[in-house]
Amino acid sequence: MRDLHPLPTPPRPQRRSPAHPLPAARPGCGPFESLAVTASLPPPLPLSSRLAIPRAFLALALVGALLGSTTPSPLYGLYQSLWGFPSVTLSALYAVYAFGVLLSLAALGRLSDRLPDRRLILLPALAVVGLGALLFGFADDLQELFLGRLLAGLGTGALTGSANAALMDFDNLDRQRRAPSLASIAFTGGAALGPVLSSAALYLDFWPRSSPFLLIAALALLAGLGLVFGNWPQPAKTPAAADRPAARQPLAQAMASRWPAFAMVCAVLVLGWMVGSLFIALGTTMLASLLPAGALAAAGLIVAAFQIAAGVTQFLCRRMPAGRAIHVGCALLAASWAGCTASLAYGQAWGFCLFTLCSGVGYGAAFVGAMGRLAIIAPAEHRGSLSSLFYVAGYLGSALSILGIGALVDAIGLLQAMQGLVVCVGLAAVAILCRGRF
């Protein structure tokens, strides 16, 4: 029997189009007010844009440290004339700086990987760089010069490995490949600007003993403030590293199958820095022997020209595959050093300058290639250690080569020493090129 009075059917709720959902209203305000608040929030910046400021201040820190490493070179003659110390003391000033760098790299390389924030190394290192610059710039005796160079070496050694590892951390965060080119450009740019800065102060008589080092201290302070207030990100960690700190592999185990590749990368750096340090140490002397007496002052610019050519090459090669950059750089280094030696033998100043620029190109390509390959083979948890070992190899190779070539020049003469070095550089380049694919 049909029900004559059925119950009324409840109305169906109206469905809102999914293309226009209602926003969730905050307590105490209507939906339109919530829409206004949401629309007023700026969109978040891309990760690469947020990392631009920390990257820039890391590069500035490297520039300041490398300025401190090369700025004193044109001033040593001034100190020698003022205080009358022998030439062997100049060699000792170079040696104490290298000793400070090597000591700092060896002692603090692994510490950077174990600390929760690399700035715990970077900020004290910048303070030491600034203190060393001030002490050297206002030195009243030889002991203060030595102490200032030692502090500059300690600060630079602590800074280079940790800054390079931090740049590789940022590459791991935004999947970019900017660490090799940025670090090498900052490194070479600072090294090139140092002699230009002190030479300009000497030429203008603008407090040459103190003004360059005040600038270095100011750059160190500015870089430190930027690292503190520059929106520093935390590096990405794998779940195993975050949840189980004890799961961290020892360096020897993590690099078990990569040590041969790392050794070849270090060999490329040693070859490049050996040729570069010889140009820095002897380039002015070699060119001065080809120029008339009135142009001796211009011979010092050859060092800056070498560094500028290297820096421009590093910028242009930043997207070149690391293996190709290494091969091109090593071949150019060997050929250019032979060209410089031939120009010196035949008294051709223009040829020496041309091949010096070619050597700078080869140095830049080899350096950026070695940095790129290091970024590929270095495990994330050991980047600081491997970066420090990388720079230890470079500094040690350049220091030993300068000592060796200096002894060779005293024993057999400049031209004969360069001819012998052509053979050494050529054999080293052939060995690296025969290594094949990096």
Side-chain angles (χ1 to χ4, degrees), residues 15-23:
R15 290 187 178 180
R16 185 172 177 85
S17 172
H20 304 283
L22 274 174

Side-chain angles (χ1 to χ4, degrees), residues 108-134:
L108 300 178
R110 294 190 177 186
L111 183 60
S112 172
D113 289 327
R114 300 179 184 275
L115 293 175
D117 193 330
R118 297 194 192 275
R119 289 178 296 178
L120 297 174
I121 294 291
L122 294 170
L123 294 175
L126 283 169
V128 173
V129 167
L131 180 60
L134 292 175

Side-chain angles (χ1 to χ4, degrees), residues 27-74:
C29 68
F32 294 103
E33 188 177 344
S34 176
L35 270 176
V37 172
T38 305
S40 66
L41 293 176
L45 290 173
L47 182 58
S48 295
S49 299
R50 297 200 302 271
L51 292 177
I53 293 178
R55 277 189 171 114
F57 281 108
L58 280 172
L60 182 64
L62 286 171
V63 168
L66 269 297
L67 276 174
S69 72
T70 58
T71 296
S73 298

Side-chain angles (χ1 to χ4, degrees), residues 309-330:
V312 171
T313 302
Q314 288 162 14
F315 178 77
L316 296 178
C317 293
R318 66 192 187 281
R319 299 190 184 278
M320 181 183 290
R324 185 184 304 172
I326 288 173
H327 285 99
V328 171
C330 291

